[in-house]
């Protein structure tokens, strides 16, 4: 019998237009690549056209299994840096990912990272998983496209009333103007919550407890995806039994390597040293 992967990642891969370049993006894409680089057998469920060419680097990863939900479109974002603040425009969106799209056996994978970028994962999907630890990157539940496609803040019901089984949430202070309130709200609902702050590190909440976690030293070249990397690394460290502050410290160290260049920067298999060793439960 084939053993299950150690990690399930769910969310849209994306096509991103950034300063004239076309890149593979999406929290699910970054998370899957980071996990496999760290030696984790990973399963990815996403939605895109079956011939989506930018997915080729993921298809070649030996530790990654991919289940595609066929979609006529791929979720597409344009990042506009011409103004005082970055503007994100949603140009297209792929099919949503439903609970029934998760292969039955994969619902038992012990650790899940749900990473919506355009509201594609809903409450039913999370509650349909049988994972022992479920973390969500909350960004895709905190934004929606306006009339011209420009992304604007919102609060999905999955944030106001977290799904059953969700244990951990990660998002950036830039994802919503009420980020501080939302972090406190989610902690009161029993979640471990990480609010990332870029170069200023992160704030971690668990019940009434709060920790300020500094960013690890890094020679920053390209911060794209750093928050997604922090989220998946935090998830892996928690799954291996680390305390919340120790898990966040490990996640900061791993994210620091990624910002030191394009794609995954200087991240390598050696950075597995930041994670606790696998436990029998994991």
């Amino acid at each position: 019998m084939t053993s299950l992967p150690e990690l399930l990642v769910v969310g849209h891969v994306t096509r991103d237009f950034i300063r004239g370049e076309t890149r593979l993006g999406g929290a699910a894409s970054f998370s899957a690549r980071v996990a496999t680089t760290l030696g984790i057998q990973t399963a990815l469920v996403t939605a895109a056209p079956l011939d989506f060419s930018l997915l080729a680097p993921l298809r070649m990863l030996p530790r990654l299994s991919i289940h595609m939900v066929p979609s006529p479109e791929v979720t597409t974002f344009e990042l506009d840096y011409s103004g005082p603040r970055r503007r994100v425009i949603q140009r297209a969106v792929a099919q949503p990912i439903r609970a029934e799209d998760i292969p039955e056996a994969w619902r038992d994978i012990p650790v899940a990272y749900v990473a919506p970028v355009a509201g594609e994962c809903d409450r039913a999907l999370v509650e349909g998983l049988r994972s022992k630890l479920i973390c969500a990157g909350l960004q895709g539940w905190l934004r929606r496209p306006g009339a011209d496609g420009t992304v604007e803040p919102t609060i999905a019901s999955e944030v106001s009333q977290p799904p059953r089984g969700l244990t951990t949430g990660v998002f950036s202070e830039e994802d919503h103007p009420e980020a501080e309130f939302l972090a406190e709200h989610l902690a009161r609902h029993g979640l471990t919550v990480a609010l990332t702050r870029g170069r200023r590190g992160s704030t971690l909440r668990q019940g009434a407890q709060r920790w300020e976690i500094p960013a690890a030293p890094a020679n920053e070249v390209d911060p794209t995806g750093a928050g997604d990397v922090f989220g998946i690394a935090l998830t892996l460290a928690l799954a291996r039994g680390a305390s919340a502050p120790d898990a966040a410290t490990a996640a900061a160290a791993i994210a620091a390597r990624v910002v030191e260049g394009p794609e995954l920067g200087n991240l390598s298999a050696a950075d597995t040293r930041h994670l606790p060793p696998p436990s029998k439960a994991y």
Side-chain angles (χ1 to χ4, degrees):
M1 181 178 176
T2 304
S3 60
L4 282 175
E6 300 169 75
L7 172 71
L8 172 66
V9 176
V10 186
H12 282 171
V13 295
T14 68
R15 177 171 52 207
D16 293 348
F17 298 125
I18 305 174
R19 296 190 176 101
E21 295 182 20
T22 303
R23 301 182 186 177
L24 175 66
S29 168
F30 275 104
S31 302
R33 284 187 286 175
V34 168
T36 57
T37 299
L38 296 174
I40 309 297
Q41 293 290 336
T42 303
L44 170 65
V45 178
T46 191
L50 297 179
D51 61 352
F52 179 44
S53 61
L54 292 180
L55 206 61
L58 291 186
R59 295 187 189 278
M60 293 187 295
L61 295 174
R63 295 186 180 91
L64 182 63
S65 301
I66 302 175
H67 176 74
M68 293 281 288
V69 177
S71 172
E73 298 281 355
V74 61
T75 296
T76 302
F77 292 104
E78 178 181 345
L79 282 70
D80 181 1
Y81 292 90
S82 62
R85 296 191 63 182
R86 186 184 72 166
R87 182 167 164 250
V88 180
I89 306 103
Q90 181 175 302
R91 297 300 189 193
V93 64
Q95 294 283 109
I97 304 172
R98 303 299 187 194
E100 56 268 26
D101 293 321
I102 310 295
E104 182 65 28
W106 286 8
R107 300 179 198 185
D108 291 314
I109 293 174
V111 183
Y113 189 67
V114 180
V117 291
E120 68 272 19
C121 305
D122 64 6
R123 178 182 308 278
L125 183 149
V126 176
E127 294 183 348
L129 299 176
R130 297 185 287 268
S131 306
K132 296 177 182 177
L133 186 150
I134 304 174
C135 178
L138 303 178
Q139 183 185 69
W141 291 334
L142 294 173
R143 64 185 189 182
R144 65 184 176 193
D148 64 350
T150 298
V151 168
E152 59 187 30
T154 190
I155 302 175
S157 67
E158 287 81 3
V159 175
S160 57
Q161 294 292 329
R164 184 181 65 255
L166 185 63
T167 59
T168 310
V170 181
F171 64 112
S172 167
E173 64 180 356
E174 296 183 355
D175 285 335
H176 199 280
E178 296 184 33
E180 299 287 349
F181 165 79
L182 292 172
E184 182 180 357
H185 166 79
L186 291 164
R188 287 200 306 269
H189 276 75
L191 273 66
T192 298
V193 184
L195 183 62
T196 62
R197 305 182 187 277
R199 294 173 183 160
R200 294 185 291 114
S202 63
T203 299
L204 201 67
R205 291 178 179 268
Q206 198 173 58
Q209 294 180 291
R210 173 177 174 144
W211 301 271
E212 298 297 332
I213 308 298
N219 179 23
E220 185 176 306
V221 174
D222 185 351
T224 305
D228 303 324
V229 174
F230 181 96
I232 193 63
L234 177 77
T235 302
L236 294 171
L238 289 171
R240 291 186 172 191
S243 67
D246 285 350
T249 299
I254 291 171
R257 300 289 72 77
V258 172
V259 304
E260 293 181 328
E263 299 293 329
L264 296 187
N266 289 326
L267 186 74
S268 72
D271 289 298
T272 307
R273 69 187 187 277
H274 297 296
L275 300 175
S279 65
K280 290 182 179 179
Y282 182 71

